[in-house]
Amino acid sequence: MIERARRRGQGAIPAIAALLALLAWPAAVVALGPPALRAVEAEVLLWLLLALLGPATAAGVLARAALRRSVATADAVGEALRRSEARFRDFAEAASDWLWETDAAGRFTYLSDRHRAVLGVAPETRLGKTRWEVGLPEADGDLGKWARLRRDLDERRPIRDFRYRLRNTRGELLHIEINGKPVFDEAGRFLGYRGTGRDVTAEVEAAERAQHLALHDALTELPNRILFRERLEVAAAAAVRQNSLAAVLCIDLDHFKDVNDTRGHAAGDLVLKEAADRLREMVREADTVARLGGDEFAVLQTDVGSLADVQALCQRLVDAFRRPFAVDGHPAHLGLSIGVALAPVDADNPDDLLRHADLALYRAKSEARGEFRLFEPVMDAQLRARKQLEQDLREALQRDELMLEYQPQVALASGRIVAAEALVRWRHPRHGLLGPGSFIPIAEQTGLILPLGAWILRAACAEAARWPGGVRVSVNLSPIQVRQRRLVDEVCEALHATGLAADRLELEITENILLKDTAQVLEVLGALKELGVLIAMDDFGTGYSSLGYLQRFPFDKLKIDRCFVRDLFVSSGSAAIIRAVIGLGRGLGISVLAEGVETEAQLGFLEREGCAAVQGFHLARPMPGAELARRLAQHYGRTDASTALLPAPGLAETPAPFALGGGGAEPTTEQALRQVLGLGEGSLWRDAGWSASRARAPEPLSACSRSA
Ligand code: C2E
Ligand code: MG
Ligand code: MG
């Protein structure tokens, strides 16, 4: 266009020369005339001259105007183009992206300077070469991706967000994104590609960080449940496809809760980190260790040759955790329990594999901590049964299926029944009579213990209100109840509604309640004590709590756990412990009762040691409230309720209330009890219809611990 304008301008030159000669004098007027006249637009003057000179000169004048316009247009276009080029250069230099162009053969014909700034490569070294002649970046070996790019270029398709990795001349690993489109001329001929390139490293790294956080545990840096599940899915599919084995190990730290509760959360965190390290050390590179949450970990073992490989790994892990952990310079003994499921034998999908390994873990924990168990299909059935039991328990309260039995407690000094412990039972419509051991843990896990506990409290108070004399009722409390301030109101209401005097209610708690939320628990216990109810520590000697709590809270009674009584003549330690607890009670002014008295010999020992009270099958099994009430009433109906029933040998400070056997001879403890409980000669044991030992699994002779 500029050219055309120029050519038109050149053609007009002779005509202009002639015209200039003709117009010499008026032009002089314009040039030399007064300023006002000079100020007149030259074009107007020319038109005036045109009128004077006539049509002969019109053509020349018009030609001159055309030339002027053409030259002006050409200059404007040139200027615009220069500006546009400068603008393009500025944009190209300022942009974070670089621009590139290739010819139809794929050779670079243009690379903006930004390319050099980012990659450290001079554009000149690339010009005239194709991408493939330049060579693929070593940092990105995904050949499939490059092959796809080449195909797209060959087929002249647009390139969208093609990303690759590359190490620049400064050695930095960069992530690059390329976009481009094919260029065609007006006739539709392919001219090459034009596009942009940009450094997306920051973007990719931010996304990777977010991805890492979403898939890893912040404390241990191990993969989390989501990532573990993803890897498990891949491994399970591979095991099915290749007919190989993969193992899922669900792992739980034994006694971690104790470390957390007693030494604080910071110490707990250190233990978790160290546990993660130990696990990582034990597995191969290809295996995955993950933290699923809390003290739950998992291992995915791939390419398993045989079951023996899995067992060997489990054993190595268990052994590695036998070494104590150092927490604040003090050793902490933890241990591992492991549940194992195999793909594809036990399941072929990640969810079932995890569920099965979890079931096996549950079994490992309940049978013997510090060991591993392999999944067995029966475990699944057991879980379903448990779920059903949970559902049944929800309905049990409404359907009036729960009941209490009462086991007498006898004061050895007087031989009197001074109290009875309320023990809950469930008349299950299909399973028959169930002991607390089979449903209290479920009630605690589901929160049902709160309504259940409130019902037990009310029912026990109502029953005891009918008993003669000052016989007290003793009610077991779950730790979950004691952590609720509302317990105090519930106790108040139960006493008020039933008319039972506060000092006839005794509440039993276990030592472990005091491990956690101690201040709040002590506050609740204090409020209960202010009401006038008595507080007993149950199963004393089996928990983890410190003797210091005996100083911090004025317990009314210590109940020596039955395992010490059972082992009395088996282990000398048990006798020593019983003696020590009796001494402790005496020193602190706390009454001591021994549980689980099953033989005359045990009873004799406790009497000699000065134990205040006893409870056990030798004296009486738990019995329905009506039966106990009937027997107490029968007896108390004839005698004063406060009268001693049982003057023990050597403790005959209280006169015998009734004749035993005749002849006025002093009755033995056993005879007196038989009478008061309405039993004939022979065994004192009443067949309760179900065995109390079912509620608590038989313990090994040496172990006196109650599973927490
Ligand atoms: P516990 O409070 O220590 O209750 C004593 C348990 O020992 C009772 O078992 C009782 O039947 C049993 N027992 C009594 N004398 C003997 C004996 O001479 N030999 C043997 N081998 N056992 C004896 P039970 O009724 O199965 O209760 C077990 C545990 O369940 C109780 O231990 C208590 O911790 C819990 N429990 C029972 N009733 C309740 C309740 O109403 N609420 C709560 N939260 N827990 C309860
Ligand atoms: Mg108890
Ligand atoms: Mg007990």
Side-chain angles (χ1 to χ4, degrees):
M1 190 173 155
I2 303 170
E3 256 332 281
R4 241 187 294 149
R6 236 179 231 130
R7 272 201 303 277
R8 257 201 282 157
Q10 277 163 6
I13 286 172
I16 293 165
L19 189 69
L20 282 178
L22 277 172
L23 295 179
W25 72 264
V29 172
V30 171
L32 305 170
L37 193 58
R38 260 187 278 145
V40 177
E41 166 55 43
E43 201 80 22
V44 177
L45 181 65
L46 279 173
W47 281 109
L48 281 174
L49 287 172
L50 198 64
L52 287 173
L53 295 173
T57 55
V61 173
L62 281 175
R64 179 187 170 274
L67 170 69
R68 278 187 52 167
R69 267 191 228 107
S70 294
V71 170
T73 311
D75 287 351
V77 170
E79 180 58 22
L81 196 66
R82 266 192 304 282
R83 280 214 202 114
S84 159
E85 273 174 4
R87 198 183 294 132
F88 171 77
R89 233 185 356 263
D90 288 349
F91 281 151
E93 275 164 26
S96 56
D97 297 8
W98 66 86
L99 312 176
W100 56 271
E101 186 186 54
T102 66
D103 60 15
R107 289 182 293 253
F108 285 108
T109 52
Y110 175 75
L111 277 165
S112 67
D113 267 355
R114 184 77 193 138
H115 182 265
R116 182 204 315 264
V118 177
L119 305 187
V121 177
E124 306 83 74
T125 61
R126 297 266 158 114
L127 296 182
K129 291 183 187 158
T130 65
R131 165 83 258 180
W132 324 111
E133 284 164 355
V134 168
L136 298 183
E138 277 175 20
D140 201 323
D142 182 356
L143 294 180
K145 179 169 73 184
W146 291 102
R148 281 194 296 279
L149 174 70
R150 193 162 192 168
R151 202 181 51 231
D152 284 348
L153 290 170
D154 290 346
E155 292 173 8
R156 285 149 201 191
R157 276 202 284 260
I159 304 162
R160 292 213 176 89
D161 304 337
F162 175 80
R163 286 191 174 187
Y164 65 96
R165 271 171 310 172
L166 155 138
R167 206 167 281 285
N168 67 10
T169 48
R170 291 184 291 277
E172 298 157 342
L173 186 67
L174 303 181
H175 292 264
I176 303 297
E177 184 183 279
I178 298 292
N179 279 285
K181 61 168 202 155
V183 183
F184 301 92
D185 68 7
E186 283 156 7
R189 274 190 304 271
F190 174 61
L191 299 179
Y193 267 90
R194 264 183 218 145
T196 58
R198 67 190 186 107
D199 175 5
V200 289
T201 310
E203 205 176 290
V204 170
E205 282 177 356
E208 279 174 0
R209 260 196 309 280
Q211 172 94 338
H212 184 86
L213 285 178
L215 296 177
H216 290 79
D217 162 49
L219 178 70
T220 60
E221 286 283 320
L222 289 177
N224 64 11
R225 187 182 284 274
I226 301 169
L227 183 54
F228 187 78
R229 198 190 160 285
E230 271 175 24
R231 295 199 183 161
L232 182 54
E233 188 158 22
V234 174
V240 172
R241 221 176 30 249
Q242 298 157 3
N243 200 18
S244 60
L245 275 182
V248 188
L249 283 63
C250 276
I251 297 170
D252 200 281
L253 291 189
D254 299 333
H255 309 305
F256 172 73
K257 206 172 159 305
D258 301 338
V259 174
N260 228 15
D261 289 347
T262 54
R263 307 213 190 161
H265 289 269
D269 283 355
L270 284 179
V271 166
L272 289 173
K273 277 192 189 171
E274 159 113 37
D277 291 342
R278 285 194 195 182
L279 290 172
R280 252 190 300 242
E281 278 167 27
M282 289 293 137
V283 304
R284 294 167 310 166
E285 189 94 338
D287 299 337
T288 300
V289 179
R291 182 175 172 217
L292 303 186
D295 60 347
E296 262 182 88
F297 293 86
V299 169
L300 168 62
Q301 191 186 14
T302 48
D303 284 332
V304 178
S306 69
L307 190 58
D309 289 352
V310 183
Q311 289 168 319
L313 174 63
C314 288
Q315 197 54 57
R316 279 205 308 278
L317 293 174
V318 165
D319 291 345
F321 278 73
R322 294 234 160 93
R323 231 178 330 125
F325 285 66
V327 181
D328 300 334
H330 300 286
H333 297 268
L334 281 102
L336 274 194
S337 298
I338 307 177
V340 184
L342 295 172
V345 187
D346 297 327
D348 60 3
N349 66 81
D351 294 328
D352 284 345
L353 280 165
L354 274 169
R355 201 166 54 80
H356 289 169
D358 223 31
L359 281 173
L361 171 64
Y362 185 73
R363 172 69 65 87
K365 280 190 93 82
S366 54
E367 279 183 7
R369 289 175 179 216
E371 288 193 19
F372 63 90
R373 289 283 179 277
L374 303 176
F375 170 76
E376 292 162 25
V378 66
M379 293 174 183
D380 216 9
Q382 283 164 348
L383 181 77
R384 276 198 296 277
R386 195 199 132 100
K387 289 258 176 264
Q388 182 60 52
L389 207 60
E390 220 174 278
Q391 184 53 34
D392 293 349
L393 188 57
R394 279 178 211 285
E395 291 156 18
L397 264 176
Q398 281 103 50
R399 293 204 297 233
D400 208 16
E401 290 168 6
L402 294 159
M403 56 167 278
L404 295 178
E405 285 197 318
Y406 299 87
Q407 187 178 32
Q409 298 175 350
V410 175
L412 281 177
S414 61
R416 291 189 201 118
I417 290 181
V418 283
E421 179 174 8
L423 297 161
V424 66
R425 280 87 179 85
W426 178 9
R427 268 187 307 247
H428 192 282
R430 291 187 307 283
H431 306 307
L433 199 59
L434 298 181
S438 38
F439 63 91
I440 290 282
I442 298 176
E444 287 177 334
Q445 282 155 21
T446 53
L448 282 170
I449 191 68
L450 295 175
L452 182 64
W455 176 85
I456 291 168
L457 203 56
R458 178 71 73 99
C461 290
E463 186 71 45
R466 291 199 287 268
W467 294 343
V471 177
R472 285 193 304 274
V473 68
S474 197
V475 175
N476 291 284
L477 293 180
S478 152
I480 294 163
Q481 286 174 279
V482 187
R483 291 200 184 100
Q484 314 272 325
R485 290 206 172 82
R486 127 162 82 111
L487 174 68
V488 183
D489 296 335
E490 278 173 11
V491 170
C492 261
E493 282 160 23
L495 292 173
H496 185 75
T498 59
L500 186 75
D503 63 359
R504 288 186 58 204
L505 175 63
E506 190 172 84
L507 299 173
E508 294 189 10
I509 63 160
T510 55
E511 310 173 69
N512 294 341
I513 288 180
L514 292 163
L515 275 179
K516 219 173 115 190
D517 308 325
T518 315
Q520 189 181 330
V521 168
L522 288 176
E523 192 190 315
V524 171
L525 293 180
L528 290 170
K529 215 165 153 103
E530 264 175 36
L531 293 178
V533 301
L534 309 177
I535 308 288
M537 192 183 265
D538 202 0
D539 306 344
F540 187 67
T542 59
Y544 300 101
S545 97
S546 111
L547 288 179
Y549 291 126
L550 293 183
Q551 267 185 323
R552 287 180 62 189
F553 189 79
F555 286 95
D556 298 289
K557 184 187 274 183
L558 296 181
K559 295 184 77 177
I560 302 177
D561 191 75
R562 69 171 194 258
C563 73
F564 299 110
V565 176
R566 182 196 58 204
D567 296 348
L568 194 50
F569 303 113
V570 182
S571 109
S572 58
S574 290
I577 288 171
I578 292 176
R579 235 178 243 126
V581 175
I582 292 172
L584 192 70
R586 202 174 287 135
L588 294 169
I590 305 174
S591 163
V592 175
L593 175 144
E595 291 185 278
V597 179
E598 293 186 354
T599 67
E600 185 62 31
Q602 290 164 345
L603 185 63
F605 175 89
L606 293 162
E607 274 180 325
R608 282 193 299 281
E609 292 301 326
C611 186
V614 286
Q615 175 182 349
F617 292 170
H618 184 64
L619 308 155
R621 287 202 169 221
M623 59 187 77
E627 193 178 330
L628 179 63
R630 186 175 56 77
R631 289 177 190 183
L632 287 172
Q634 215 176 39
H635 177 70
Y636 288 122
R638 283 192 268 126
T639 59
D640 174 9
S642 63
T643 312
L645 294 172
L646 181 110
L651 297 168
E653 74 277 13
T654 323
F658 49 84
L660 282 164
E666 229 176 35
T668 63
T669 308
E670 190 167 332
Q671 282 171 327
L673 273 167
R674 233 179 238 131
Q675 194 154 3
V676 85
L677 295 169
L679 296 164
E681 288 294 321
S683 171
L684 267 176
W685 294 31
R686 187 182 67 84
D687 184 3
W690 68 284
S691 159
S693 58
R694 261 204 283 162
R696 231 160 69 156
E699 292 142 6
L701 278 183
S702 58
C704 250
S705 64
R706 162 154 151 165
S707 57

